[in-house]
């Protein structure tokens, strides 16, 4: 987790970013709460549903967002309008609630049929990562089903695929961190009357809210990575054959993760 990639997501940096760019959560003399749905890939059906609020911007910078666009000529940066939406307070129970929502969103994403295709959408010269992720996703799905059957009989909760599931979750979080969290078309339309959400672009981001969310995704990714290596250690010591497949699956996904970060 190189600092130059995530330094702006530290708690104090996020607070500074909000203080530098937000004048207050009062719009035209009153508070303006809103419900939003975010997504991080056009092929994903899952959304991150949050309660937030409109704010009055202190700078024009926070009302625009640079997007990386891919086309036949290559890639280019384009500036689009950003919606002035954020969570006013993010501490205590609200922070924990958001953490749980983020975790559930990541879990849903890793189970989607289009998961492997979406998270490798920028790879044009090789299909290998896509194939590996499909295989591991299918393996986790099948072992989960078998584990549920065994657990029903033995009254246990242990799943042999937990190490592979964590690896997929980490890869999903890496993808979310490197993509824009956009408002769904439904949300854009619902918030049209506010006059604060751009309507001429299908990729509208709430820049401040997205940074708040990604700060927690970053924390979760570090925690999951630590737990993954702890599971590797436990799996490698007894050298049981039943640990070979999940360990190999997790290791392959981790290799893809490191390659993607590079």
């Amino acid at each position: 987790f190189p600092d130059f990639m995530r330094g702006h997501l530290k708690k104090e940096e996020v607070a500074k970013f909000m203080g530098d760019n937000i004048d207050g959560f009062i719009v035209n003399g009153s508070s303006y709460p809103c419900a939003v749905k975010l997504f991080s890939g056009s092929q994903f059906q899952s959304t991150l549903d949050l309660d937030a609020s409109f704010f009055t911007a202190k700078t024009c910078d926070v009302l625009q967002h640079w997007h990386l666009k891919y086309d036949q000529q290559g890639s280019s940066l384009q500036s689009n309008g950003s919606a002035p939406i954020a969570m006013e307070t993010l501490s205590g129970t609200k922070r924990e609630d958001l953490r749980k929502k983020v975790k559930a969103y990541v879990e849903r994403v890793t189970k989607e049929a289009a998961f492997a295709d979406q998270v490798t959408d920028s790879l044009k010269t090789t299909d290998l990562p896509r194939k590996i992720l499909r295989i591991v996703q299918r393996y986790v799905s099948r072992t989960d089903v078998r584990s549920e059957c065994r657990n029903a009989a033995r009254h246990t909760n242990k799943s042999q695929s937990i190490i592979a599931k964590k690896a997929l979750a980490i890869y999903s979080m890496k993808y979310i961190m490197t993509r824009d969290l956009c408002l769904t078309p439904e949300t854009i339309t619902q918030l049209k009357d506010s006059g604060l959400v751009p309507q001429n672009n299908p990729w509208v981001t709430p820049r401040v809210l997205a940074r708040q969310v990604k700060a927690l995704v970053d924390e979760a990714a570090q925690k999951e990575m630590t737990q993954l290596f702890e599971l590797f250690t436990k799996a490698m010591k007894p050298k049981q054959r039943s640990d070979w497949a999940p360990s190999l699956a997790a290791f392959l996904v981790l290799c893809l993760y490191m390659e993607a970060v590079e």
Side-chain angles (χ1 to χ4, degrees):
F1 299 94
D3 191 64
F4 76 89
M5 294 174 62
R6 52 176 297 274
H8 64 293
L9 297 174
K10 293 179 180 178
K11 192 174 182 180
E12 60 273 16
E13 289 298 322
V14 173
K16 182 178 183 301
F17 177 73
M18 294 181 67
D20 290 343
N21 291 283
I22 296 178
D23 196 35
F25 284 85
I26 300 296
V27 179
N28 296 326
S30 61
S31 59
Y32 200 151
C34 59
V36 300
K37 293 178 183 289
L38 305 176
F39 73 100
S40 52
S42 59
Q43 298 183 69
F44 287 150
Q45 300 299 312
S46 301
T47 60
L48 179 59
D49 302 355
L50 303 173
D51 292 320
S53 299
F54 283 101
F55 61 81
T56 298
K58 188 183 294 185
T59 66
C60 295
D61 180 61
V62 79
L63 297 179
Q64 66 173 357
H65 205 171
W66 290 94
H67 298 252
L68 188 61
K69 179 183 178 182
Y70 295 96
D71 52 37
Q72 294 180 345
Q73 284 71 43
S75 60
S76 60
L77 283 173
Q78 292 186 342
S79 178
N80 294 320
S82 176
I85 298 173
M87 299 183 76
E88 184 172 1
T89 58
L90 193 57
S91 59
T93 56
K94 287 190 176 182
R95 186 178 181 85
E96 186 58 31
D97 288 344
L98 179 57
R99 184 179 287 110
K100 290 178 180 178
K101 288 183 177 181
V102 166
K103 183 177 180 180
Y105 174 65
V106 170
E107 185 174 349
R108 291 195 302 272
V109 163
T110 59
K111 293 180 179 179
E112 291 214 20
F115 168 73
D117 292 324
Q118 182 65 70
V119 298
T120 58
D121 62 342
S122 63
L123 300 179
K124 307 300 181 184
T125 59
T126 176
D127 196 45
L128 185 59
R130 190 171 297 111
K131 290 179 179 178
I132 291 175
L133 290 171
R134 282 174 183 162
I135 292 170
V136 175
Q137 184 190 39
R138 186 166 64 247
Y139 165 76
V140 168
S141 177
R142 290 178 177 177
T143 51
D144 266 357
V145 171
R146 288 198 294 269
S147 294
E148 288 176 4
C149 293
R150 287 196 298 269
N151 294 340
R154 299 178 185 176
H155 303 290
T156 63
N157 295 316
K158 186 177 180 181
S159 171
Q160 288 185 344
S161 66
I162 185 172
I163 192 169
K165 288 176 69 175
K166 281 191 176 294
L168 285 178
I170 289 169
Y171 197 93
S172 296
M173 286 186 272
K174 187 280 305 178
Y175 176 82
I176 292 170
M177 293 293 288
T178 56
R179 298 300 189 277
D180 294 313
L181 279 166
C182 299
L183 299 174
T184 63
E186 174 190 10
T187 300
I188 293 174
T189 300
Q190 288 178 345
L191 298 178
K192 180 179 180 180
D193 292 342
S194 69
L196 299 170
V197 179
Q199 297 290 312
N200 59 347
N201 177 25
W203 312 108
V204 178
T205 62
R207 186 176 174 188
V208 179
L209 179 60
R211 185 165 300 195
Q212 289 177 309
V213 170
K214 288 189 176 184
L216 289 187
V217 175
D218 180 65
E219 288 181 12
Q222 293 183 80
K223 182 178 179 181
E224 290 291 304
M225 187 68 83
T226 300
Q227 293 177 353
L228 178 62
F229 277 99
E230 290 174 352
L231 289 171
F232 268 133
T233 302
K234 293 178 181 179
M236 294 298 102
K237 284 183 178 179
K239 299 180 180 179
Q240 295 178 358
R241 188 166 184 170
S242 60
D243 290 325
W244 292 1
S247 295
L248 173 61
F251 185 75
L252 288 173
V253 174
L254 187 58
C255 287
L256 297 179
Y257 169 87
M258 291 188 287
E259 179 69 18
V261 171
E262 286 187 12

